[in-house]
Amino acid sequence: MNTKNWFTTLLGAGVVVSGLALSSCEDEFTEADAIAAQDSTLTALKRLENEQALAENLQQDSLDRVGAIINYNVTVINGGSDNTRARTEGESFASGVTVTLVQGGEPIEVTTNESGVAAFTNLKEGEVAVTIEAADHTTATYTTRLQDFTGDLESTVGTTVPIFPTTVAAGASEISGKVWAETDLTNDTREAATGAVVRATLNVQSVMSLYGNLNRGLADVQTLTYSNFVITDTVDAEGNYTLVVPNGNATDGNGLLGSALTLDFLPFTANQTLVVEQGDSLAVVTREAIFGDGTAFDVDFLPSVSVDIAAPVNSASGFELGTKANRTLLSSFSAVALLNGGQDYASGDILYFGEDADGNKAGFTVGSVDANGSIITLNGIDNDVDATGTNATYSTEPGFDGTDGSGTGAVFDLRFQTTYNIFVTNRGEGYFTTPIVTASAMDYNGSTLVNVADADMASGSNPIASLAGRTIVVDNRIVPSNSNADTIATTGALASAPTLTVMAPEVRKAVIDVTGIGINNNGEITSISFDDNGAGYTSAPTVTINALGGMGTGATGIATIDASGEVSGIVITNGGSGYVENINDIDGPSGSASQNASDSGVPSVANVKPGSAGINKNFNYGTGKRD
C-alpha cells in the first residue's frame, strides 16, 4: 500500500479509534491502551488493504470475463425410479454419475453428489455442452446457454435431466417376439422373416413431455439427444428377436413405452414362392419380393388347380378343288386392240381368229385405212364372221388366222377373258368344317394385265368367286351342297385360270380359363370353364388336372367335343378334395382373405414397468411387393 492510501485508511481507522475513546471516557487511558489501539488500527488498515486488493482482482476478473460469474448445477434424475415426474419431492436422484461440461474448449468433469447434483462454478456466460454418463444407462448430451438475468455479477442456474436404464437389471424393459413373412404363398403357414430388422424408437420430445420442465433457474435446454434411444435386432432363423428398451415411470406407474415408444420393422428382400399365370396355364414360381414398405399389394387370386387339355391332331386331309374354263363368245368379255396398222389394207377386209373346238371361226373387219392402206380403225368382233349361222365359242385364247385382203404387217392384241367352273376333285377325309380356300388369277384393269387375289373364298369380299355355303361336311368328307355334281361355283370373267389353294384345316388347342374353376367349400372341383374351346378336334382330348402347392388331390374329368370340332365341355367325374379357390392366400385355405403387405401394423406397447421382461409382440410382413 502506498503512503497516501495508507494515510487515508488510517484516517478512517482514527475515526474508529475516536469512537472507541468516547465510549471509555470514565476509564484511565494507559500506555497499554494506546498500544492496543494502535494494533487495532493496523489490523483495520490491513483488512481494508485486502478488501481493496480483492475488489481490484474482482474488477479485473470481471473485465476479463465480459459478463457475470455463473455457477451451474446439473441435477440428474434416475429415469428408472418409481416416481420421476414430481419436481419437488419423491424424486430419485442419480448419484455417482459423471457429468462433463465443455465451455471454451476446456472439458470439466464433475461427479454428482447424493442429491444427484454436479456443481460447476466460476463459469462464463454463453454456450456450454454437457454430457451425462452412467453405467447401464443412456448417455444424455445437450447444449444450453448460461445467462445472468439478475444484473448481479454472480448468478446460479441449473438444469434437471433424466437418464434411463439400458439393462433389465437397471430398469430397462425387454421386448421379444416372432416376425413372419409370407415367403411361400402356396401353403397356409407363415415363414420366419429371417434377416429382417426390428426397431424400437423412443421419441425424445415425448419423453421430455412426460418429465415436464427440465430447467431449474434459467439454463434452458436447447438441444438434447440420448444414446440407445433407437434399438434394433435382426430376426434369427426361427423368426425370433429381442430388444432391451430404455424405460422410466410416469406418475401412474406405467412406463414410458406407451406414449413414447414406436416399434416397427424395416423393409427387407427375400425370395418368395407363389402361383402366377404363365401362358395359358398356372405355374409355381419363385420371385424376389420386397417386404415391409408399408403399402398393401394384392397378389393374384388364383385356384390351386391347373387344368390342361391335349392339343388336337390334324388328321383331316385330301380335300382338293379344280377349275375348268367355260366356252364363251369373244364378243362377251374379250376385246381387240390395234398395235400396228400395217399397209396395203382396205376398208372391209376380214381378219380371222383360229377355229374353236367345233371348227367355227370368229373375226373382225377393217374399218378405215389411210392412203398407204394402214389400218386406222377396226370394227367389233363378229362371232360368225363367215355367216355360217353358228357362232364360234372359245375356252382358250385363239390366235390370228390371216386376212382375206392383201394387206400385211398389222399387229393386233386380243385381250381374252372367260369364266371358270370350280369343282371338287377330292372330297378328302377327317374334316369337321370346310377349310379356308385361297385363289389368285390374272385379269385386266383397263388395258393393263394385273393379279387379283381372294384370301378366303368363303367369307368377305370375293373378287374371284364365293364358296360360302357351297359345301357341307358329310361323314367327315367335304361335298357340294347342291345337286350339280361336284361343281360348286363359277368365277367371273378372268384373263387366266385361277390357282386355288386349300389351306390346312384350323387346328387350335383348347384353353382353360385359369380363374374360372369352380371349387366348393368342401374343396371339391365343381366346374371348369374355357377361354378358348379350340378347333380341329376329331376325338375327345385327354384332360389333366394338376394340384398346385400340394393343395388338392383326386380330381378327374373327361372332355366332350361337338360336331364343329370344338371342345364343348369337361365333365367332372371326381371332384377330389383339398382344393382351394385362392392358393396365394396368407390366411389359410378358405381363399377369401384380402391380401396385403402386413396384418399387424405398428403395435403399441403399454403398461410396461421398469425392469419388465418377457413382453411379447409379434409382427407379420404379409405378402410383400413383387415386380
Side-chain angles (χ1 to χ4, degrees), residues 70-399:
I70 305 295
N71 299 314
Y72 180 45
N73 295 330
V74 178
T75 302
V76 182
I77 297 176
N78 179 4
S81 63
D82 290 336
N83 187 350
T84 54
R85 187 178 179 86
R87 308 310 316 145
T88 57
E89 60 179 319
E91 295 174 324
S92 177
F93 298 107
S95 61
V97 176
T98 300
V99 182
T100 303
L101 181 147
V102 177
Q103 185 180 63
E106 294 295 330
I108 306 170
E109 186 176 293
V110 176
T111 301
T112 59
N113 59 23
E114 293 181 354
S115 298
V117 177
F120 297 89
T121 60
N122 204 29
L123 301 176
K124 302 176 184 180
E125 290 186 291
E127 296 283 346
V128 295
V130 180
T131 300
I132 303 173
E133 299 172 285
D136 298 331
H137 284 74
T138 58
T139 296
T141 302
Y142 68 91
T143 61
T144 186
R145 182 172 182 80
L146 304 180
Q147 299 182 69
D148 174 29
F149 293 98
T150 65
D152 298 333
L153 293 179
E154 184 172 354
S155 297
T156 299
V157 296
T159 301
T160 300
V161 179
I163 57 174
F164 303 95
T166 57
T167 64
V168 174
S173 297
E174 180 182 289
I175 303 172
S176 62
K178 284 187 174 293
V179 182
W180 297 284
E182 293 294 335
T183 57
D184 188 348
L185 298 182
T186 66
N187 57 31
D188 57 0
T189 61
R190 297 178 295 187
E191 292 74 41
T194 304
V197 175
V198 181
R199 176 176 61 185
T201 304
L202 280 167
N203 183 276
V204 174
Q205 294 301 321
S206 296
V207 170
M208 293 304 97
S209 67
L210 293 172
Y211 280 80
N213 183 12
L214 298 180
N215 306 315
R216 288 186 172 180
L218 298 170
D220 293 333
V221 172
Q222 296 175 334
T223 60
L224 174 64
T225 60
Y226 283 93
S227 66
N228 299 318
F229 259 32
V230 178
I231 310 297
T232 62
D233 191 32
T234 301
V235 178
D236 65 19
E238 286 71 42
N240 299 310
Y241 76 94
T242 301
L243 302 172
V244 177
V245 182
N247 200 0
N249 259 10
T251 53
D252 58 3
N254 296 329
L256 288 176
L257 302 179
S259 60
L261 177 74
T262 299
L263 283 180
D264 61 354
F265 39 87
L266 303 182
F268 81 105
T269 301
N271 288 331
Q272 182 183 66
T273 300
L274 72 161
V275 172
V276 299
E277 291 189 50
Q278 194 170 80
D280 295 329
S281 187
L282 299 179
V284 178
V285 300
T286 299
R287 294 180 178 174
E288 189 175 83
I290 300 173
F291 295 88
D293 66 354
T295 305
F297 292 97
D298 288 348
V299 294
D300 293 335
F301 193 98
L302 299 170
S304 64
V305 181
S306 176
V307 180
D308 183 70
I309 297 181
V313 177
N314 181 19
S315 60
S317 63
F319 175 58
E320 296 178 357
L321 294 172
T323 62
K324 180 180 179 181
N326 292 312
R327 294 177 64 173
T328 184
L329 298 172
L330 293 184
S331 62
S332 297
F333 306 114
S334 305
V336 177
L338 176 66
L339 301 180
N340 189 322
Q343 61 185 5
D344 298 329
Y345 289 96
S347 178
D349 286 348
I350 299 175
L351 294 96
Y352 294 95
F353 292 105
E355 294 180 348
D356 66 7
D358 298 323
N360 300 315
K361 289 185 178 182
F364 54 93
T365 58
V366 175
S368 59
V369 297
D370 64 12
N372 295 320
S374 178
I375 300 173
I376 299 175
T377 63
L378 296 173
N379 295 324
I381 295 175
D382 187 346
N383 298 309
D384 184 15
V385 69
D386 288 335
T388 63
T390 303
N391 292 328
T393 56
Y394 300 90
S395 59
T396 59
E397 181 175 341

